[in-house]
Amino acid sequence: MNEHGLLHLSVQFAHYALVIMAIVYTFRIRWILGFKAGKERQASTGTPGRTDPKKGYMYSLANIMMPWAMESTRKKFFLYVQFVIFHLGVVAAIVQTFTLPFATKLHQHPIGGIAFTVIIGLAFLVGVYRIFRRIFDKYIRAISSPDDHFSLWLLTVWFFFGTLAAGYPVDKMTAIGMDGNLAMIIFFFMTAFFLLYVPFSKISHYLYYPFTRFYFGKSMGHRGVFPIVRKNA
Amino acid sequence: MPEDRSYKAEKVIERLGKKLNRQVVGSLAACVHCGMCTDSCHYVLANPGDPTFAPAWKADRLRKLFKRHYDWTGRVFPWWVGAKSVYTDKDLEELKDIVFGKCTNCRRCSINCPMGVDFATFNRMARGLLVSVGVMPEGVAVVSKDQWEIGNQMGVLREDYLDTIEWMEETIQDELDNPKAVIPIDKPNTDVVYTINPREVKYDPRTISDAAKIFHMAGENWTMPSEGWDMTNFGLFSGDDDLGGSVASRVYDKMHELKGKKIVISECGHGYRSTRCEGQNWAGMDVDFEMESSVITMRDYIKEGRIQVDKSKNTDKYTYHDSCNFARSCGLFEEPRELLNLVTDDFSEMYPNRSENYCCTGGGGAMSMSEYAPDRLKSAKIKADQLKATGANVVVTSCHNCVDGLADLIKHYKLDMKVTQLVNLVANALVIPEEAEVAVKEPDEVETLKGLFAGKKIMVVDDEPDLRVFYGSVLEDNGAEVIEAADGDEAIGLAMAELPDLITLDLSMPGKDGGKVFEALRKNDATASIPVCIITGRPELRSLIYDRPVPAPEGYLDKPVSEETLIRNVRKIFEVGRAMEKQPV
């Protein structure tokens, strides 16, 4: 099979993997919904009128965009910044699995192509930093499973090829019939593997995120704790 | 291999499945091991470099079990995702030391987790699983047993409770010079039913008389229940939902019987959370009456003009410690400050505060688990630094558990501070109208008080000379003949030779400790009936005394002991002794 055929195959694989991932995710969501949600019978606590369950879960869900809201993100702002970059990189890399074959003009645009390259490239650097942190920070190492390490390596390598793919000379790309190169072929095959692996790994955490933050926020809103009131020195 | 698994381990796994709900499963499945929670835990901060104190590491001990049995990735690829089962009773013991000994369930890591993982909730669940198979610290077993069998967590008998209430009633009648100042028991159809912590009966009855004085001055239509008065709930700490539901139901059932309008819960963080919030969930029942913290009740009395206070009577420099259960689990943080500002002039915040405050380190039942006291006190360094930075000389808190935890760390870190509660400050600041003014004692009455212990021989046992002098002077000033012993052997010898009417006994002494002395005295026919009042600076040693196969001591006080507390408790022991003598055999 020639380079063109391989590229075509890798793109097809990636999109089939996406469908499989969606199916497995459906089972995962059914699994968690199969557990009954705990109920709080008590009347609300806290200063009357200050908050309620809705304010609580809205605050909780938006928490991730408010680095000042939690002491952990406030004090470790660098970790927060690299978290943002890493996840923007994930989004950009996933988006480009569609835009590379189906919206090539976006990548042909000087800003578009560079933006993808920079975002995914920075995410790659964060990935490298995270690999070192997971290996050398004794707190993180102590809680890391093989899946934690592998998932991080997988994403970092994927970012690496994603960066190369994003920066592929745009004049060579013509929709699905574009010329391929090794980086792009590897990127799409890795995407396929990544999508198949995700539902079975810690990377699927974002599936649970809405559940945990919604219920915790709802409870803390009902109890008058969220949104957190903070008085500085 | 299930055939190799112990019976207890089998049961823990089986019961874990029954405890899972959507919130808990979400928390167990969602952790990404990012480590953002690490520095939020006071245990971590006080033990730098030891990852076994990190919240995520501790949470993983249960998460591994969950993954191995209830998450299919862990069932298929256990090693890959870090899933691991428990097999032996030793595995359970190790889990016990983590969930009870390395976490106070303060929930600080929960509010600092970007994923919204509520570790404290499933740590409590892990405790409950272990308790269900009898794996728990000794102190947890003792306190739970008391609460199951006697109805309150300190094993206070009904007659002792009622006797203390009566004694406190007399105290406020004396102080207000008003025989109408009463503490009604089981009065039906009142606006307020006041529930308390058994610690108040046993070690700190002043908080009862202070609250009674406030209710009286506010003209409140109130009562205290004769049963179901303990609003604390060890089910919160032990994770035993059955105990939690049963204890809460006792309070609610009594409330229904009395047809009261509102339960007012005295200042206790876990008691408030248990009775006001979790109790209904554990008991599976809805209630049709109001419940509020006495902090809110007292604040409203002042704001509504039902009581008058003079804040200049509270002359110290104060700071406020937010109880985790109050602030982080019930959102009660502005009201105590409002009240504090109404009764004091000099209040400084500690940082961080409110729901971000650090645990007193005595939470989660930690004060009853003496085996973990060294780690607890080490972790208390964080709180000690926080207290010191305020520059205050009094730390106010609305939680009895915190009072003990803070008092312990203040002593350990030699801080020049004392702990008090809002009820004490409000009572102290009360403006007593002319007609209810405390009567000035006539000279002969003073003389009578001076002779309170006349004819009594009291032996003071303590290895600290200053304390022997202090206790001795207070007791001698009140007419007692005092003899002193500096160590255990001397105490036993003197007790046999002198046969005192009462012994105050320290626990931590060189040579024979107070526990051994106490047992020796009780087992000797000549000294067995001498009342003993334990006075210790190490409240976690309670089990050292109460678990001995001899009758319990007549009194138990935590250091530091004020003159007033010493007199009141010694007097009570003599009064109870007299009452017992009068009872027909």
Side-chain angles (χ1 to χ4, degrees):
Chain A
M1 190 180 283
N2 62 17
E3 221 177 45
H4 174 84
L6 267 177
L7 181 61
H8 192 80
L9 186 67
S10 67
V11 172
Q12 278 191 327
F13 267 16
H15 294 149
Y16 289 140
L18 187 67
V19 174
I20 293 168
M21 185 186 80
I23 292 168
V24 180
Y25 270 179
T26 309
F27 284 109
R28 285 304 256 184
I29 291 170
R30 277 190 60 184
W31 172 72
I32 196 164
L33 288 175
F35 293 95
K36 205 174 164 190
K39 181 187 165 192
E40 297 209 289
R41 293 170 180 269
Q42 78 275 14
S44 59
T45 51
T47 307
R50 191 184 77 81
T51 184
D52 56 38
K54 189 180 174 190
K55 281 184 190 166
Y57 70 68
M58 295 297 284
Y59 172 83
S60 179
L61 286 165
N63 200 286
I64 210 68
M65 292 176 286
M66 300 185 290
W68 60 88
M70 287 190 299
E71 184 192 79
S72 53
T73 44
R74 209 161 54 229
K75 285 191 173 172
K76 298 175 187 170
F77 191 67
F78 170 68
L79 288 181
Y80 177 79
V81 171
Q82 54 105 337
F83 150 82
V84 172
I85 292 169
F86 193 78
H87 285 80
L88 283 176
V90 172
V91 172
I94 289 173
V95 167
Q96 80 167 9
T97 61
F98 294 97
T99 54
L100 279 173
F102 301 124
T104 49
K105 282 185 179 170
L106 185 66
H107 289 264
Q108 287 166 344
H109 190 279
I111 295 176
I114 290 169
F116 274 97
T117 308
V118 169
I119 293 170
I120 302 171
L122 284 174
F124 163 72
L125 294 176
V126 169
V128 172
Y129 164 76
R130 285 184 164 201
I131 287 171
F132 275 94
R133 183 168 175 255
R134 201 162 277 286
I135 293 171
F136 294 109
D137 182 313
K138 66 162 70 169
Y139 290 101
I140 305 296
R141 190 170 64 236
I143 54 176
S144 297
S145 66
D147 174 41
D148 290 318
H149 287 287
F150 181 75
S151 297
L152 186 52
W153 276 94
L154 177 65
L155 274 167
T156 307
V157 175
W158 184 58
F159 284 145
F160 175 75
F161 288 105
T163 311
L164 296 182
Y168 187 76
V170 289
D171 58 342
K172 291 189 179 176
M173 290 196 289
T174 48
I176 201 72
M178 63 192 169
D179 288 330
N181 71 359
L182 193 58
M184 197 171 296
I185 291 168
I186 293 173
F187 173 71
F188 276 104
F189 273 121
M190 281 200 73
T191 304
F193 178 75
F194 167 73
L195 293 173
L196 288 174
Y197 180 70
V198 164
F200 306 97
S201 76
K202 62 92 65 88
I203 306 171
S204 59
H205 62 274
Y206 58 85
L207 200 63
Y208 307 116
Y209 178 85
F211 288 97
T212 50
R213 289 239 65 109
F214 171 78
Y215 285 114
F216 188 54
K218 187 179 169 198
S219 175
M220 296 305 251
H222 186 55
R223 288 160 183 257
V225 180
F226 276 6
I228 281 181
V229 176
R230 191 159 52 88
K231 296 283 161 75
N232 282 329
Chain B
M1 288 176 292
E3 60 272 23
D4 293 329
R5 192 171 280 126
S6 74
Y7 175 78
K8 287 180 179 177
E10 195 71 56
K11 286 291 161 196
V12 164
I13 292 163
E14 186 188 312
R15 288 169 189 169
L16 170 60
K18 292 177 184 160
K19 291 254 187 187
L20 296 173
N21 64 22
R22 200 176 298 158
Q23 286 92 329
V24 170
V25 169
S27 280
L28 285 165
C31 179
V32 289
H33 294 150
C34 67
M36 292 295 275
C37 57
T38 305
D39 294 343
S40 62
C41 175
H42 57 276
Y43 279 104
V44 174
L45 298 176
N47 294 276
D50 185 348
T52 68
F53 285 102
W57 189 91
K58 293 180 278 192
D60 267 5
R61 301 314 103 187
L62 186 69
R63 186 171 286 121
K64 284 171 179 289
L65 187 61
F66 162 78
K67 283 191 174 176
R68 184 70 187 89
H69 295 278
Y70 295 98
D71 183 343
W72 57 276
T73 52
R75 284 203 294 255
V76 180
F77 316 107
W79 172 78
W80 189 248
V81 296
K84 195 179 169 193
S85 190
V86 286
Y87 292 95
T88 64
D89 290 354
K90 189 167 168 280
D91 291 340
L92 299 182
E93 288 290 331
E94 283 170 7
L95 185 60
K96 176 198 81 176
D97 287 338
I98 293 160
V99 300
F100 283 101
K102 292 188 169 188
C103 174
T104 56
N105 276 356
C106 78
R107 229 176 188 179
R108 201 166 189 276
C109 57
S110 303
I111 64 161
N112 275 296
C113 172
M115 290 296 294
V117 170
D118 190 5
F119 169 49
T121 295
F122 69 81
N123 192 64
R124 180 183 173 272
M125 188 182 81
R127 288 180 172 199
L129 290 168
L130 293 172
V131 166
S132 76
V133 295
V135 177
M136 66 192 109
E138 193 189 344
V140 172
V142 170
V143 180
S144 298
K145 187 171 179 285
D146 278 349
Q147 202 153 25
W148 271 119
E149 294 178 359
I150 302 175
N152 64 81
Q153 62 162 287
M154 287 193 177
V156 176
L157 300 175
R158 182 186 159 92
E159 53 267 36
D160 288 340
Y161 167 72
L162 294 175
D163 182 61
T164 305
I165 300 297
E166 195 184 325
W167 169 37
M168 288 302 105
E169 186 177 80
E170 287 167 13
T171 303
I172 57 164
Q173 286 174 349
D174 285 350
E175 285 180 13
L176 298 174
D177 192 24
N178 184 352
K180 289 180 186 166
V182 293
I183 302 181
I185 296 287
D186 285 347
K187 184 178 164 190
N189 302 310
T190 57
D191 293 329
V192 165
V193 174
Y194 187 55
T195 56
I196 59 170
N197 183 322
R199 182 185 172 280
E200 298 179 68
V201 181
K202 210 151 182 170
Y203 309 130
D204 197 6
R206 183 80 212 177
T207 54
I208 303 173
S209 61
D210 280 351
K213 209 193 297 186
I214 294 163
F215 285 130
H216 172 74
M217 297 305 297
E220 187 60 87
N221 174 24
W222 73 295
T223 190
M224 289 182 77
S226 62
E227 300 285 344
W229 52 267
D230 177 8
M231 51 66 180
T232 70
N233 197 322
F234 218 69
L236 181 69
F237 298 152
S238 68
D240 183 349
D241 290 349
D242 292 337
L243 174 62
S246 166
V247 172
S249 296
R250 280 179 210 158
V251 177
Y252 304 152
D253 291 346
K254 187 67 186 177
M255 182 67 178
H256 282 130
E257 183 195 314
L258 293 173
K259 297 187 174 61
K261 285 186 188 156
K262 177 166 69 180
I263 292 182
V264 170
I265 300 161
S266 78
E267 285 176 86
C268 175
H270 100 267
Y272 179 72
R273 181 177 168 191
S274 301
T275 305
R276 173 68 176 76
C277 299
E278 320 294 357
Q280 295 159 75
N281 303 317
W282 295 327
M285 66 191 283
D286 297 310
V287 299
D288 54 2
F289 47 81
E290 279 181 63
M291 289 185 267
E292 77 179 15
S293 164
S294 61
V295 171
I296 294 171
T297 314
M298 291 187 286
R299 180 204 61 180
D300 290 350
Y301 285 165
I302 298 174
K303 286 173 79 173
E304 292 162 9
R306 290 177 69 176
I307 57 173
Q308 271 77 48
V309 287
D310 174 5
K311 54 166 75 175
S312 68
K313 289 183 178 178
N314 291 317
T315 54
D316 289 299
K317 183 171 170 54
Y318 302 91
T319 188
Y320 182 75
H321 162 79
D322 289 281
S323 138
C324 303
N325 285 312
F326 245 38
R328 201 149 38 237
S329 283
C330 294
L332 199 56
F333 39 76
E334 299 301 353
E335 292 79 359
R337 285 173 171 77
E338 224 180 314
L339 179 57
L340 192 51
N341 279 315
L342 287 169
V343 295
T344 62
D345 265 328
D346 195 353
F347 164 57
S348 314
E349 280 287 5
M350 70 171 75
Y351 299 96
N353 53 49
R354 294 171 170 80
S355 48
E356 291 190 335
N357 193 26
Y358 284 109
C359 177
C360 70
T361 65
M367 296 306 287
S368 63
M369 306 173 206
S370 53
E371 58 269 57
Y372 306 126
D375 273 344
R376 172 172 63 77
L377 283 167
K378 189 176 178 193
S379 75
K381 171 82 168 56
I382 308 308
K383 189 85 234 172
D385 290 345
Q386 226 191 335
L387 291 176
K388 216 185 302 179
T390 64
N393 64 330
V394 176
V395 53
V396 184
T397 186
S398 292
C399 173
H400 281 279
N401 227 336
C402 298
V403 169
D404 286 340
L406 294 170
D408 212 20
L409 76 87
I410 284 169
K411 182 170 178 279
H412 185 79
Y413 288 98
K414 297 183 173 55
L415 305 182
D416 188 19
M417 289 185 104
K418 58 182 181 178
V419 192
T420 194
Q421 293 195 276
L422 281 160
V423 68
N424 306 124
L425 295 177
V426 174
N428 191 51
L430 270 180
V431 175
I432 314 286
E434 196 76 13
E435 60 273 25
E437 199 90 64
V438 179
V440 177
K441 303 228 177 283
E442 297 298 325
D444 59 329
E445 285 181 275
V446 174
E447 285 310 308
T448 309
L449 270 180
K450 288 282 179 196
L452 199 59
F453 306 138
K456 299 288 186 191
K457 189 188 288 182
I458 300 177
M459 182 165 88
V460 174
V461 186
D462 204 304
D463 61 322
E464 291 182 45
D466 291 350
L467 288 179
R468 288 203 303 278
V469 169
F470 171 62
Y471 300 151
S473 311
V474 171
L475 296 169
E476 277 175 354
D477 284 352
N478 285 279
E481 178 191 344
V482 175
I483 50 175
E484 294 178 10
D487 60 51
D489 290 323
E490 189 186 357
I492 294 170
L494 259 181
M496 304 270 278
E498 299 280 341
L499 296 178
D501 298 296
L502 184 141
I503 298 170
T504 70
L505 179 62
D506 182 24
L507 287 187
S508 303
M509 294 187 291
K512 198 169 274 179
D513 68 48
K516 287 179 186 154
V517 174
F518 175 69
E519 190 171 342
L521 292 171
R522 283 290 201 244
K523 284 186 171 169
N524 186 309
D525 288 344
T527 55
S529 60
I530 299 175
V532 175
C533 180
I534 304 291
I535 303 182
T536 179
R538 298 185 62 190
E540 73 276 9
L541 297 180
R542 211 168 71 92
S543 64
L544 197 77
I545 289 296
Y546 285 93
D547 292 350
R548 289 182 185 268
V550 291
E554 282 72 14
Y556 196 105
L557 294 174
D558 292 343
K559 289 177 184 173
V561 176
S562 67
E563 176 179 348
E564 193 185 27
T565 306
L566 181 65
I567 293 171
R568 188 184 303 125
N569 281 274
V570 169
R571 184 180 163 191
K572 187 192 169 201
I573 291 170
F574 285 136
E575 281 176 1
V576 171
R578 272 200 299 277
M580 299 292 277
E581 281 166 19
K582 283 181 197 163
Q583 278 180 7
V585 180

